[in-house]
Amino acid sequence: QVQLVESGGGLVQAGGSLRLSCAASINFFSLNTWGWYRQAPGKQRELVASITRSSATNYADSVKGRFTISRDNAKKMVYLQMGSLEPEDTAVYYCNVALRDPYSWGQGTQVTVSS
């Protein structure tokens, strides 16, 4: 019973871009604030972007001006447009609600940025 499915990751050179997608087969999708998280090797998972039900957005300082989060409530999808990628962005990226009580984590999608 997969609830969160991330896709769109891959290998890209520094300065390039990627668009990540998250399919969330969850009831009441539109009522929640959603976020993109990432976990780099040897580090804890961190929230890098979030979007409320009214489409207000928030970003970690490390990605401001480079990443854009968006959502499609009708399709129950969350997206992360990633530009000007840096090697430091290399991580497994996950989507989930940006709340204290998240859903079970999906498999994530690997983003690798080469220099």
Side-chain angles (χ1 to χ4, degrees), residues 37-48 60 62-63 87-94:
Y37 302 75
R38 69 185 181 188
Q39 187 167 29
K43 299 184 64 178
Q44 295 189 56
R45 199 192 321 266
E46 64 172 337
L47 179 67
V48 298
S62 59
V63 307
E88 291 73 22
D89 296 317
T90 295
V92 179
Y93 284 73
Y94 304 86

Side-chain angles (χ1 to χ4, degrees), residues 17-50:
S17 62
L18 286 171
R19 178 178 168 87
L20 307 184
S21 298
C22 170
S25 55
I26 297 172
N27 290 336
F28 311 113
F29 170 92
S30 63
L31 299 181
N32 291 126
T33 294
W34 285 88
W36 280 97
Y37 302 75
R38 69 185 181 188
Q39 187 167 29
K43 299 184 64 178
Q44 295 189 56
R45 199 192 321 266
E46 64 172 337
L47 179 67
V48 298
S50 64

Side-chain angles (χ1 to χ4, degrees), residues 38-76:
R38 69 185 181 188
Q39 187 167 29
K43 299 184 64 178
Q44 295 189 56
R45 199 192 321 266
E46 64 172 337
L47 179 67
V48 298
S50 64
I51 182 167
T52 71
R53 63 182 181 181
S54 61
S55 296
T57 58
N58 196 20
Y59 300 93
D61 288 342
S62 59
V63 307
K64 283 182 179 177
R66 300 189 298 118
F67 292 7
T68 302
I69 188 172
S70 60
R71 64 191 293 167
D72 185 331
N73 289 334
K75 300 176 69 173
K76 297 184 177 181

